[in-house]
Amino acid sequence: MTSVLSHQKDHEHEEHGHDESSLKIFGFWIFMITDLILFATLFAAYVVLRTRYNGGPTGEELFSVPIFTTSTIILLTSSFTSGLAVLGLKNGKVNNAVGWLIITVLLGMAFVVLEITEFASMVDEGASISTSAFLSAFYVLVGTHGLHVSVGIVWMIGAIIQLMRDGISEVTTRKVNVVSLYWHFLDVVWIFIFSVVYLMGVM
Amino acid sequence: MLENVKKFASEFFVTGNTLIYAADISIVLTSLSIVFALTYFKKWGWLWREWLTTVDHKKIGIMYLISSLLMLFRGGVDALLMRTQLAFPNMEFLNSEHYNQIFTTHGTIMILFMAMPLMFALFNLVVPLQLGARDVAYPFLNAVSFWLFFFGAMLFNLSFVVGGSPDAGWLSYPPLSENTFSPGPGQNFYIWGIQISGIGSLATGINFLVTILKMRAPGMSLMKMPLFSWSVLSSCIAIIFAFPVLTVTLGLLFVDRFFGAHFFTLDGGGNPMFYINLIWMWGHPEVYIVVLPAFGIFSEVVSTFARKKIFGYKSMVFALVSISLLSFFTWVHHFFTMASNTVDAFFAVTTMAVAIPTGVKVFNWLFTMFRGRIQMKTPMLWMTGFIPTFLVGGATGVMLAVAPANFQYHNNYFLIAHFHQVLIGGVTFGFFAGMYYWWPKVFGFMLNEYLGKWAFWLWNIGFYVTFMPQYALGLMGMPRRSYTYGWDMGWWPLNFVSTIGAFLMGAGFVFQVWQIVYSIIHRQRDLTGDPWDGRTLEWSIPSPPPVYNFAVIPQVEKQDDWWYKKQNGSHRNKAVKYKPIHMPKDSGIPFITGFFWFVAGFGFTFEWVWIGLSGLIGVAVSLFTRYLQKDTDYYIPAEQVEATESAIGGARS
């Protein structure tokens, strides 16, 4: 396995003059720029429409401090555990890395479930996406982030499967690094949602 | 039961119009004959293996080219229908509803399903060859991009026969495009068709940006890179910053329509103006995205056919990049009448500023031609035809940028004439020049010059006959998007002339098709690989290039490297030792992913949620399968490379 890998690597250096892993990671950074612009546009929508309550409930009436604080703690912790997984990989410990990735996935699922229950209870209170422009912007911004987290969960499961199947290789190292980069990115976006949507909403 | 089926069919299929029935019949007949031909000649396996599953950038480029020419036909027929309706006052050829649908699909198809894929065709066909690379950075993703474009375009075109076409204009402004005023699937077709192909475009932008930054042959520093590749780079930068905004804008409009949200509605606190800002934050960069590569093409063509190094290379690079950046600061000039004075002033100035780098480029092209030994081959003909057209188009652009005057031009035929002048005279002429220039490289045979010249003159003369009268019509007050007018307006002579011009351009297109068919039959092969005596790396390899492009990656020393190597004779093949070449494997997953996107888009268009969701699940499953795949590449053995090279080399010498 190792010999095949190093053989391939030699070829890549000779034939392409570039390293395939670094090429893919570079492309992923560019992808994150586009995703950042996507979120920036949604934030713009939220900021433009955040006071358009249309006689419906305001953020102050809807947001529950314990719930969104819990969400934040869960997501920040999951970012930390995904970092530990990368560290485990660097030290050559497959099981350790797999373990931390599984914990990250579970925390991510907890975050998504919490978000769904939050949304469901808001809709129960009569605050749905069609109630006001403010709520439209809220659901779409926060929901898009939640959707990204869900995609991240599936993605990370894929990385775990490969790590268990193939062990540590150049390819699996790259894949774990990339998915963890994505996970940190979602964490950063959440910090902005936490500040702009929730904190400013209840203040 | 039968009643229910009848009722469903009458709503599902577009009915009640002879033109559409005729089109239905021809679509069914064409599809049946394609299926029959493929079955009769036992070509299904060939189609799947060679084309539908390919990740080779050259083949993907050819598929983009064919699709975009088909879309040019469809968009062109739309244009001729509109011009026929407007040829005389009070014509009853199209009714108002049908006319609305046609101007909507004409605009959308021409920009998004004709200009964009024609541009991506040239990206794919040329950029890796110009850079001395074996493929793009992500060949698999490149195939995904193509199939997203293809299925997005098919979904959009389906609206013609099923469910009804969108009719709210090519940018689908709310509140008109909201559920209240446009119920039914038409607008959803628009949203999903563009959304799906737009995601593909975004991926292409990332792909070519990385290709250009990371895959250049050794020695080719950025400032030695051919100008077409520079123009692609600046276009990709704009794609990366603009297309996510489009994704969000269309997404929000769909959320409004599907979930009853209030982003752009008149009630519930929504704001339609917000949509107009967002869509032009994408839309204005979008027109520069398509025109920048055309500038690159002209730079290559003028330098090759004037047989001179391009004049002012550095200022060309500077101009390309600054246009790409300026494009993000001009969007409000599309709705000066809605903004405040200070805002208008800012955007008027930024818009006029675009004329500076553009002017620099025009002078550079002229100085390149100055004292050159110019050969008037078809690509150069389109180049020279472009300069006066673009000059007038640019000048009227600056006129439109003057905010107070713009209140007069707003939404009348002056504007229509202006943007057709830059989009046809700039973008389309540019892509045609590129198509003619690189055709022998891609297909390995020459196009007939005589028919090509007829096509050019019909297009060029037809262009002026169509659009010069429209400037005057605009100043006479004829509003855009009006489906008819009365005798008392005094507009009919100019409209009639304009219609004649449109048919001249249509004849030009017929000549192009004739030229291609004629050249396929009377094939004149290009055995040199360098029929124009070119300057850049793509001309250093055989036409058409082998699957791996370069048997040995070239070492670049200068700008126009191939030209200089030819000058000092160092281009002749020395004895080389071939090495195994690392290549990506073909895959059916991109096609399948695109197909599932189509299913998803179709389901959500008709608000059949289960079909939509199963399409999305299909997309996720196919991409997940790919993610777990290990066996994705292979090596071409050195002996095989040697055999291929000596076979081609034998043919060349």
Side-chain angles (χ1 to χ4, degrees):
Chain A
M1 184 70 213
T2 344
S3 70
V4 172
L5 261 177
S6 66
H7 172 73
Q8 280 189 356
K9 219 177 158 186
D10 285 345
H11 272 302
E12 276 160 18
H13 281 289
E14 273 172 34
E15 298 293 324
H16 287 241
H18 63 81
D19 177 9
E20 196 155 334
S21 275
S22 78
L23 192 69
K24 290 201 166 151
I25 289 173
F26 180 69
F28 188 75
W29 278 99
I30 310 280
F31 162 75
M32 284 205 296
I33 294 177
T34 65
D35 219 19
L36 197 70
I37 296 164
L38 185 139
F39 275 110
T41 316
L42 289 174
F43 272 105
Y46 182 80
V47 170
V48 168
L49 301 171
R50 74 191 170 89
T51 53
R52 307 285 183 91
Y53 301 120
N54 188 34
T58 64
E60 202 176 351
E61 292 158 27
L62 286 170
F63 302 150
S64 134
V65 180
I67 291 183
F68 72 72
T69 316
T70 318
S71 299
T72 309
I73 292 169
I74 290 176
L75 201 66
L76 290 184
T77 315
S78 79
S79 207
F80 179 65
T81 55
S82 85
L84 288 178
V86 172
L87 207 62
L89 213 59
K90 279 214 173 99
N91 295 332
K93 294 178 192 158
V94 183
N95 292 337
N96 176 291
V98 169
W100 285 120
L101 284 178
I102 291 174
I103 293 172
T104 312
V105 165
L106 292 175
L107 286 169
M109 285 173 174
F111 173 85
V112 172
V113 169
L114 201 63
E115 185 162 288
I116 291 172
T117 40
E118 187 201 7
F119 281 11
S121 75
M122 280 169 68
V123 173
D124 274 349
E125 289 168 37
S128 78
I129 194 167
S130 56
T131 307
S132 67
F134 153 67
L135 280 166
S136 302
F138 166 81
Y139 279 113
V140 169
L141 170 59
V142 181
T144 305
H145 177 266
L147 203 64
H148 273 71
V149 174
S150 313
V151 169
I153 289 170
V154 177
W155 189 343
M156 205 172 267
I157 291 171
I160 293 170
I161 292 173
Q162 289 180 75
L163 204 51
M164 288 166 67
R165 185 183 69 187
D166 304 341
I168 298 178
S169 70
E170 200 192 316
V171 174
T172 51
T173 309
R174 182 192 80 224
K175 287 191 171 173
V176 172
N177 271 319
V178 166
V179 75
S180 135
L181 208 59
Y182 180 70
W183 201 261
H184 292 313
F185 165 76
L186 294 182
D187 214 37
V188 173
V189 174
W190 180 259
I191 301 288
F192 280 93
I193 292 180
F194 175 75
S195 328
V196 174
V197 177
Y198 288 103
L199 282 186
M200 284 169 73
V202 294
M203 258 183 343
Chain B
M1 178 64 196
L2 192 66
E3 278 305 302
N4 281 339
V5 174
K6 261 188 179 167
K7 186 170 173 299
F8 170 78
S10 72
E11 281 167 14
F12 186 70
F13 295 105
V14 178
T15 49
N17 186 303
T18 342
L19 282 174
I20 292 182
Y21 286 137
D24 287 350
I25 293 167
S26 66
I27 289 171
V28 171
L29 287 180
T30 315
S31 315
L32 279 179
S33 56
I34 292 173
V35 170
F36 176 77
L38 285 171
T39 314
Y40 185 80
F41 294 108
K42 299 196 174 64
K43 288 288 188 187
W44 285 104
W46 167 82
L47 182 69
W48 176 257
R49 278 190 310 275
E50 294 291 318
W51 296 98
L52 303 189
T53 60
T54 188
V55 295
D56 181 349
H57 67 95
K58 301 178 283 298
K59 286 185 180 170
I60 290 173
I62 291 172
M63 292 194 287
Y64 268 122
L65 183 65
I66 294 169
S67 327
S68 67
L69 292 179
L70 287 174
M71 289 292 103
L72 176 62
F73 174 73
R74 152 106 214 246
V77 170
D78 281 350
L80 294 183
L81 291 176
M82 281 190 285
R83 282 315 321 168
T84 307
Q85 165 67 20
L86 293 176
F88 294 101
N90 304 329
M91 278 280 274
E92 285 176 10
F93 178 61
L94 303 171
N95 61 31
S96 58
E97 193 188 356
H98 198 175
Y99 189 85
N100 287 353
Q101 293 177 348
I102 286 182
F103 72 64
T104 302
T105 54
H106 168 75
T108 313
I109 285 177
M110 284 302 199
I111 298 280
L112 288 152
F113 301 126
M114 190 283 283
M116 288 295 275
L118 192 49
M119 171 177 97
F120 290 150
L122 294 167
F123 280 22
N124 271 288
L125 295 172
V126 180
V127 170
L129 303 182
Q130 254 190 354
L131 299 177
R134 294 218 161 104
D135 209 317
V136 294
Y138 317 113
F140 177 86
L141 184 69
N142 196 24
V144 173
S145 292
F146 171 75
W147 290 111
L148 290 188
F149 149 72
F150 180 84
F151 282 106
M154 288 302 108
L155 184 64
F156 185 85
N157 278 280
L158 201 61
S159 67
F160 182 57
V161 285
V162 168
S165 294
D167 57 0
W170 85 278
L171 284 182
S172 198
Y173 280 6
L176 180 59
S177 58
E178 291 280 359
N179 253 341
T180 327
F181 303 101
S182 298
Q187 286 315 117
N188 295 341
F189 271 120
Y190 172 92
I191 291 171
W192 283 95
I194 298 180
Q195 187 72 295
I196 292 169
S197 65
I199 296 167
S201 305
L202 184 56
T204 306
I206 298 176
N207 211 337
F208 278 87
L209 182 87
V210 178
T211 305
I212 292 171
L213 291 180
K214 294 281 190 182
M215 308 275 284
R216 299 190 310 279
M220 187 188 279
S221 63
L222 279 174
M223 292 313 274
K224 285 179 193 154
M225 191 163 76
L227 278 172
F228 177 63
S229 294
W230 257 114
S231 72
V232 174
L233 180 65
S234 8
S235 172
C236 286
I237 293 171
I239 289 178
I240 284 164
F241 285 93
F243 268 75
V245 181
L246 175 71
T247 308
V248 172
T249 313
L250 293 172
L252 298 185
L253 184 61
F254 184 71
V255 169
D256 265 11
R257 292 175 57 86
F258 188 75
F259 295 105
H262 294 291
F263 285 101
F264 313 123
T265 53
L266 290 173
D267 58 343
N271 184 352
M273 272 308 299
F274 183 48
Y275 178 95
I276 295 169
N277 272 287
L278 284 178
I279 198 80
W280 280 115
M281 275 183 213
W282 160 77
H284 197 82
E286 164 65 14
V287 294
Y288 290 163
I289 286 167
V290 288
V291 85
L292 282 169
F295 293 163
I297 292 165
F298 289 131
S299 307
E300 302 288 340
V301 167
V302 75
S303 157
T304 302
F305 292 98
R307 305 177 70 73
K308 271 176 71 188
K309 193 171 142 184
I310 191 85
F311 184 91
Y313 175 88
K314 280 182 189 162
S315 63
M316 281 299 211
V317 171
F318 176 78
L320 285 168
V321 177
S322 57
I323 292 172
S324 142
L325 298 179
L326 274 174
S327 71
F328 286 91
F329 301 96
T330 61
W331 81 88
V332 172
H333 73 218
H334 295 275
F335 43 97
F336 274 142
T337 49
M338 299 182 189
S340 73
N341 289 344
T342 14
V343 175
D344 278 0
F346 174 80
F347 284 95
V349 172
T350 51
T351 305
M352 291 176 204
V354 176
I356 298 168
T358 319
V360 167
K361 302 182 75 62
V362 173
F363 280 114
N364 282 342
W365 290 318
L366 292 175
F367 284 129
T368 309
M369 284 191 256
F370 181 63
R371 288 189 175 161
R373 279 167 289 155
I374 298 176
Q375 295 169 315
M376 272 298 167
K377 303 279 181 167
T378 33
M380 189 61 184
L381 214 48
W382 290 96
M383 159 74 206
T384 38
F386 148 82
I387 289 186
T389 340
F390 202 70
L391 190 70
V392 179
T396 51
V398 176
M399 287 169 76
L400 281 156
V402 180
N406 187 283
F407 279 63
Q408 291 300 316
Y409 309 130
H410 187 76
N411 272 356
N412 70 31
Y413 261 83
F414 190 87
L415 169 75
I416 304 296
H418 158 72
F419 74 68
H420 281 94
Q421 183 126 32
V422 282
L423 284 171
I424 295 179
V427 176
T428 313
F429 280 23
F431 292 170
F432 284 162
M435 187 180 84
Y436 285 113
Y437 180 55
W438 283 300
W439 185 281
K441 174 53 55 194
V442 174
F443 294 100
F445 64 91
M446 310 294 290
L447 285 175
N448 183 286
E449 285 279 313
Y450 179 75
L451 290 171
K453 283 180 181 163
W454 269 92
F456 167 77
W457 285 110
L458 282 167
W459 265 97
N460 199 44
I461 295 169
F463 172 80
Y464 286 100
V465 177
T466 314
F467 292 104
M468 291 303 126
Q470 293 189 9
Y471 283 116
L473 282 169
L475 297 177
M476 288 158 79
M478 181 168 166
R480 73 189 291 197
R481 291 172 178 171
S482 39
Y483 85 103
T484 192
Y485 54 91
W487 286 101
D488 53 336
M489 306 303 289
W491 294 339
W492 90 263
L494 287 173
N495 268 304
F496 187 72
V497 172
S498 181
T499 301
I500 292 174
F503 278 91
L504 285 177
M505 284 197 279
F509 180 73
V510 172
F511 266 87
Q512 287 181 299
V513 175
W514 183 10
Q515 178 193 18
I516 291 173
V517 173
Y518 180 92
S519 309
I520 290 174
I521 296 169
H522 304 271
R523 195 170 303 205
Q524 186 198 342
R525 287 199 55 194
D526 163 38
L527 298 172
T528 59
D530 189 11
W532 313 120
D533 199 5
R535 310 176 74 83
T536 41
L537 286 180
E538 72 268 29
W539 305 109
S540 69
I541 52 174
S543 321
V547 62
Y548 46 76
N549 299 347
F550 294 86
V552 178
I553 297 291
Q555 178 73 39
V556 175
E557 284 150 30
K558 282 188 151 79
Q559 182 202 334
D560 290 350
D561 195 63
W562 174 238
W563 175 261
Y564 283 100
K565 282 189 176 143
K566 282 192 287 188
Q567 296 298 302
N568 64 23
S570 65
H571 67 298
R572 304 216 174 278
N573 269 355
K574 295 155 204 131
V576 279
K577 195 175 155 291
Y578 295 111
K579 291 174 190 155
I581 293 176
H582 183 218
M583 295 297 289
K585 268 191 183 166
D586 289 350
S587 167
I589 293 176
F591 179 82
I592 295 167
T593 311
F595 174 75
F596 279 123
W597 265 114
F598 178 86
V599 173
F602 186 79
F604 287 120
T605 295
F606 284 92
E607 310 202 347
W608 297 337
V609 180
W610 290 110
I611 293 185
L613 284 180
S614 44
L616 287 182
I617 290 168
V619 172
V621 170
S622 48
L623 289 179
F624 195 74
T625 313
R626 168 69 185 187
Y627 187 61
L628 297 184
Q629 236 171 23
K630 274 167 84 171
D631 188 22
T632 56
D633 41 12
Y634 71 105
Y635 281 86
I636 303 176
E639 305 79 60
Q640 200 183 324
V641 177
E642 194 169 353
T644 315
E645 283 299 302
S646 64
I648 308 169
R652 284 176 82 186
S653 58

